[in-house]
Amino acid sequence: MCTAKAMADTYESNRAICKYVHSTSRGHEAIQLATAFNLLPCDYVSPYYRDESIMLGLGFSPYQLMLQLLAKGDDIFTGGREYYNHPNYRGSDKPTIIHQSSATGMQAIPTTGIAQGVQYLEKINHHSTNNLSPVIVCSLGDASVTEGEVSEAFQFAALHQLPIIYLVQDNDWGISVTSAEARTNNAFEFIKGFKGINSVSINGSDFSESYQTMKKVIDEVREKRQPWLVHAKVPLLGHHTSGVRKEFYRKEDELASSYKNDPGPLLKIVLIKSGVTESDLLQIEKEELEKVLADFEKAANAVEPDPLKVEEHVFAPTPIISEKGNRSPSNKEKILMVDAALFAIREIMEDFPEAILYGQDVGKRLGGVFREAATLADQFGDHRVFNTAIQEAYIIGSTVGMSAVGVKPIVEVQFADYIYPGFNQLVTEISKSAYLSCGKFPVQTLIRVPIGAYGGGGPYHSGSVESTLLTIKGIKVVYPSNAADMKGLMKAAFLDPNPVVMLEHKGLYWSKVPGTEEAKNTEPDRDYIVPLGKACIVNEASDEAIENGESCCIITYGMGVYWSKAAAKQFNNQIEVIDLRTLFPLDETLIFERVKLHGKCLIVTEEQQNNSFAEALSGRISKTCFRYLDGPVEVMGALNLPAVPMNMILEKAMLPNAEKVAAKLKEILEH
């Protein structure tokens, strides 16, 4: 406690040096240290940004924490990329800490995903070190419990009886918002609505009470594997952050009242009553201050990060770099795209016991609303293929924790239009994890998303979301257009150690849309795999047309492949069609090479055209291939409407089709 106070005081008296925003644990030290002292190296903990005392209690030094405070190059957590006390750690000597973000409450889902993963590994008899059962602790501020995603985590933990402890530190504040302004009850009262979560409320300023409670709860979770919530009442003695200072919004008398519950002086009284001399305690304070000041000076003089390394760790290296296996074996029949995905996942789950599949309606009773998971639960069991509630945030965000413990999750969002509730987790947690942990915690997850319009699906089941996804850095986006690519890309996406979103066009699943019969292919062999980031030419132009300057290159994906191939038939071997297959990473080498060869280019997309991925790609092509172009790079997409209309006549009017593509090609070739 003396160390934590000395650190906070040192930061405050050196504000010019501590130029990056930070928070401290002042007022929260007792419950945090009590928690840390009861954890073992086999455990997992997710501290939030005010939890520096947890870090001290786990054995991290002030110097290590200060390197992150000052964003120095030797910061062991993030290499100078993250705020103070946003740790991550993987080692045999301390509990594991997955990447921690700043978004309040967002750690609840990934950390619950850890508990979900641990429970699964225990079910398949994969025991941790020394057969000790890991305990998972998720630390939260009480104000963050009002977040909807925290409730999603509570629901899942309660329903599945996960071995997790939600430690809620209640200091009555959410920046300048008091508890009375923000919520009708505290976390201890709130959790009563989640049947199956045990709970206790304690004085988090009392170290003895905090220690005994955390020991009891941690021991019980380690043995009985049930969820708990510990509500600890604590004072906030420091600033919300160094940038939002307590004097901005708190009155002096209110602050004075809070200091009556300062855990340090309260513990000092207990120690003196127990026979410890005041001189001994003063000596501890003196020694810790000296150590902290020495560490601070050392950290202030530490080296800055190397700017040449700023682009490192965006992705972990993938083992899949080349196409292999038999794409068209003679002994196999043609299959639908939906079956190619099903067969790929079946083979994956047969080969990888750590692979699991979950999402809405994918379980045994239905097997997916498109039957894309049919029979899988029957074959592999409800513990490996199961339904979730309507919780897109949980479905997506839980994969962070699952991946961290070695489970390989495949999850499904039922329709692309409903991926948006999961964007908090996709952007805040998943996409940044590898980069901000310096490669320690890449998230290996495959997120399946049925997408696209056909047959009157209407405004909430027909949308295209690829441009929105592609603005997120740190994820990969795949979009197969046929059964063979579906299977080969599915395998590559699963084996990629990074987050991959696979967009699967509903209109191509069964080849029911006229003109999409070629989406059916001979089923590739079990070992067939297509590396991400490799486009392919699916329709060739003649050498004569190219040499005469009478050819055009179409760049497209998904349903656009079939519109483009149909349109190409109206021209005399003049049209080359490139199927991108993967939207990120993008095969720019092939794109630029072919555009330079043809001199004319049309990009076809199902998305609304303005501000789309397709328009961004046209700009890159124009810049790179400018000297080779005979005219501007053209883009054809859907009309710029807020949604796809239900009526099929209106739907057709909105979307591109073969006739519209042919008309645009005629215009380009005659220009």
Side-chain angles (χ1 to χ4, degrees), residues 30-49:
I31 183 61
Q32 290 184 19
L33 291 168
T35 301
F37 293 158
N38 278 291
L39 293 175
L40 301 174
C42 66
D43 295 331
Y44 296 81
V45 60
S46 288
Y48 82 114
Y49 56 80

Side-chain angles (χ1 to χ4, degrees), residues 362-428:
V362 302
K364 186 182 298 184
R365 195 173 293 112
L366 183 60
V369 295
F370 301 103
R371 304 295 287 159
E372 72 282 1
T375 73
L376 292 177
D378 289 308
Q379 181 175 350
F380 298 106
D382 293 334
H383 66 300
R384 294 190 67 189
V385 181
F386 57 90
N387 294 327
T388 67
I390 303 171
Q391 294 182 328
E392 287 85 2
Y394 188 87
I395 291 167
I396 289 174
S398 59
T399 66
V400 176
M402 299 285 278
S403 176
V405 301
V407 180
K408 301 183 186 300
I410 305 169
V411 298
E412 183 176 313
V413 173
Q414 203 162 73
F415 292 92
D417 304 79
Y418 300 127
I419 197 172
Y420 298 105
F423 259 58
N424 260 352
Q425 292 294 322
L426 193 59
V427 175
T428 304

Side-chain angles (χ1 to χ4, degrees), residues 301-348:
N301 292 319
V303 296
E304 297 291 340
D306 182 352
L308 297 178
K309 296 182 178 180
V310 70
E311 293 184 283
E312 291 183 356
H313 305 301
V314 176
F315 293 109
T318 177
I320 309 302
I321 57 176
S322 60
E323 186 172 357
K324 66 176 185 178
N326 191 344
R327 182 181 176 92
S328 302
S330 58
N331 61 337
K332 295 284 188 72
E333 296 180 354
K334 283 191 174 183
I335 59 171
L336 297 166
M337 271 186 69
V338 70
D339 289 334
L342 176 66
F343 299 162
I345 292 180
R346 178 184 295 156
E347 292 171 0
I348 286 168

Side-chain angles (χ1 to χ4, degrees), residues 82-388:
E82 261 280 28
Y83 308 96
Y84 181 54
N85 206 67
H86 286 60
N88 59 82
Y89 187 76
R90 192 189 286 278
S92 60
D93 61 329
K94 297 179 179 68
T96 299
I97 305 172
I98 61 172
H99 157 67
Q100 299 299 307
S101 76
S102 280
T104 55
M106 293 304 99
Q107 72 272 35
I109 287 177
T111 311
T112 305
I114 296 175
Q116 181 187 349
V118 166
Q119 184 186 73
Y120 173 71
L121 293 175
E122 290 174 349
K123 282 181 179 178
I124 63 172
N125 296 315
H126 183 284
H127 295 290
S128 60
T129 306
N130 299 322
N131 289 326
L132 289 170
S133 297
V135 169
I136 296 87
V137 174
C138 178
S139 180
L140 301 156
D142 197 67
S144 71
V145 176
T146 57
E147 286 276 7
E149 292 181 23
V150 176
S151 291
E152 290 193 22
F154 289 167
Q155 285 277 9
F156 200 94
L159 182 64
H160 294 275
Q161 289 295 283
L162 302 182
I164 187 169
I165 300 165
Y166 299 101
L167 170 62
V168 180
Q169 300 171 62
D170 183 359
N171 62 28
D172 272 330
W173 290 95
I175 308 185
S176 67
V177 180
T178 65
S179 58
E181 292 175 87
R183 50 196 186 272
T184 60
N185 51 23
N186 63 34
F188 177 66
E189 297 159 339
F190 182 63
I191 205 66
K192 299 298 183 185
F194 296 86
K195 185 179 179 181
I197 297 183
N198 304 295
S199 59
V200 63
S201 184
I202 63 171
N203 177 5
S205 293
D206 184 322
F207 178 77
S208 180
E209 181 181 351
S210 296
Y211 185 88
Q212 294 301 327
T213 299
M214 292 309 300
K215 183 180 188 321
K216 173 183 175 294
V217 171
I218 288 172
D219 287 348
E220 186 161 322
V221 174
R222 203 178 300 284
E223 178 186 354
K224 296 183 179 179
R225 319 308 281 152
Q226 295 175 341
W228 271 81
L229 182 140
V230 176
H231 171 256
K233 200 73 179 69
V234 292
L236 176 61
L237 302 183
H239 308 291
H240 168 68
T241 67
S242 55
V244 183
R245 305 180 63 75
K246 57 189 177 184
E247 57 266 22
F248 293 174
Y249 59 92
R250 297 180 70 180
K251 297 177 181 178
E252 287 187 14
D253 58 341
E254 188 276 324
L255 279 167
S257 177
S258 294
Y259 272 97
K260 294 177 182 178
N261 292 312
D262 187 342
L266 292 177
L267 180 59
K268 200 170 180 180
I269 292 169
V270 173
L271 292 171
I272 290 172
K273 287 182 178 179
S274 300
V276 180
T277 66
E278 187 162 4
S279 62
D280 285 342
L281 296 176
L282 290 172
Q283 183 63 23
I284 290 172
E285 291 179 15
K286 178 175 179 293
E287 289 176 358
E288 291 311 301
L289 178 59
E290 289 173 353
K291 291 177 186 176
V292 165
L293 290 174
D295 277 0
F296 184 78
E297 182 178 5
K298 183 181 175 184
N301 292 319
V303 296
E304 297 291 340
D306 182 352
L308 297 178
K309 296 182 178 180
V310 70
E311 293 184 283
E312 291 183 356
H313 305 301
V314 176
F315 293 109
T318 177
I320 309 302
I321 57 176
S322 60
E323 186 172 357
K324 66 176 185 178
N326 191 344
R327 182 181 176 92
S328 302
S330 58
N331 61 337
K332 295 284 188 72
E333 296 180 354
K334 283 191 174 183
I335 59 171
L336 297 166
M337 271 186 69
V338 70
D339 289 334
L342 176 66
F343 299 162
I345 292 180
R346 178 184 295 156
E347 292 171 0
I348 286 168
M349 297 190 78
E350 287 171 347
D351 294 341
F352 296 91
E354 65 271 35
I356 67 171
L357 170 67
Y358 56 98
Q360 295 170 36
D361 297 303
V362 302
K364 186 182 298 184
R365 195 173 293 112
L366 183 60
V369 295
F370 301 103
R371 304 295 287 159
E372 72 282 1
T375 73
L376 292 177
D378 289 308
Q379 181 175 350
F380 298 106
D382 293 334
H383 66 300
R384 294 190 67 189
V385 181
F386 57 90
N387 294 327
T388 67

Side-chain angles (χ1 to χ4, degrees), residues 518-562:
E518 291 182 4
K520 293 189 290 187
N521 299 129
T522 302
E523 182 189 356
D525 278 345
R526 189 184 193 95
D527 62 349
Y528 179 66
I529 197 160
V530 178
L532 306 189
K534 296 294 183 182
C536 65
I537 298 171
V538 295
N539 195 81
E540 295 183 349
S542 67
D543 292 339
E544 182 181 0
I546 296 171
E547 290 170 5
N548 293 336
E550 298 172 345
S551 66
C552 179
C553 173
I554 297 181
I555 299 167
T556 188
Y557 55 93
M559 188 66 78
V561 170
Y562 298 95

Side-chain angles (χ1 to χ4, degrees), residues 11-12 15 18-24 50 69 84 238-248:
Y11 302 162
E12 183 66 14
R15 290 171 61 187
C18 303
K19 57 187 176 182
Y20 301 110
V21 67
H22 59 271
S23 298
T24 72
R50 200 175 298 286
L69 170 83
Y84 181 54
H239 308 291
H240 168 68
T241 67
S242 55
V244 183
R245 305 180 63 75
K246 57 189 177 184
E247 57 266 22
F248 293 174

